[in-house]
Amino acid sequence: MATGEEDETERVRRPSGKKTAKKTVKKTAGSASSVPAGHRESESDSEEPRTGRRVSAPRAMRYAADQLKELLGRAPESVSAVQPTEDGWQADVEVLELERVPGTTSVMATYRVVLDKEGELVAYERTRRYTRGQIDRR
């Protein structure tokens, strides 16, 4: 055996904490999994990979917020709408774009996020910008 292979075997066999076990799971789960980036660790090890079945609405909301955060580099404040489409899900996500004092003058944005049936982000667009204190006229 090569030296690198021996080290890998030792790492798997020796008693270790959960941290090392997670690294091993990540290596084996890797790219074969269809779970969106950032979601592998939060799901249990016993859960099977998705098989093209539509994800639930709450999971679609989480995926939309998480993936948009990854793209924009800003944490979403809330998901204000989620609805099923023929091809998956569509969600409206509220994001703080520019923080100001007082907070009611901060600039917010609504992003429309399109997900496929498995929760992967397909497209997004900013549909609205507004101040936090603004109320819709309807």
Side-chain angles (χ1 to χ4, degrees):
M1 282 190 187
T3 307
E5 291 175 337
E6 290 173 352
D7 292 340
E8 184 67 28
T9 304
E10 289 178 48
R11 185 175 13 210
V12 173
R13 288 185 182 173
R14 77 181 132 129
S16 61
K18 291 181 183 179
K19 190 173 185 179
T20 304
K22 282 185 182 179
K23 286 181 183 177
T24 305
V25 170
K26 279 186 182 179
K27 287 179 185 177
T28 58
S31 61
S33 175
S34 63
V35 179
H39 296 286
R40 289 185 189 100
E41 290 181 22
S42 63
E43 296 181 359
S44 67
D45 292 338
S46 62
E47 186 174 330
E48 295 178 18
R50 289 184 272 158
T51 59
R53 211 175 79 193
R54 181 190 299 265
V55 296
S56 65
R59 186 166 285 180
M61 290 174 68
R62 282 192 302 274
Y63 287 177
D66 290 347
Q67 292 178 74
L68 191 60
K69 177 182 178 181
E70 216 173 289
L71 290 169
L72 299 177
R74 296 182 193 102
E77 299 244 330
S78 65
V79 177
S80 57
V82 64
Q83 58 188 352
T85 63
E86 284 185 22
D87 300 324
W89 293 95
Q90 178 177 298
D92 290 343
V93 182
E94 308 301 319
V95 176
L96 174 65
E97 291 212 326
L98 181 60
E99 191 167 6
R100 292 185 175 160
V101 175
T104 55
T105 62
S106 294
V107 178
M108 302 291 295
T110 302
Y111 285 85
R112 177 146 303 142
V113 178
V114 179
L115 304 172
D116 66 12
K117 289 181 181 180
E118 294 183 349
E120 293 288 335
L121 188 133
V122 176
Y124 77 97
E125 67 176 320
R126 184 173 62 201
T127 58
R128 180 175 175 234
R129 283 184 96 188
Y130 59 97
T131 58
R132 187 186 293 271
Q134 184 177 345
I135 297 173
D136 287 337
R137 296 182 192 174
R138 290 189 187 181

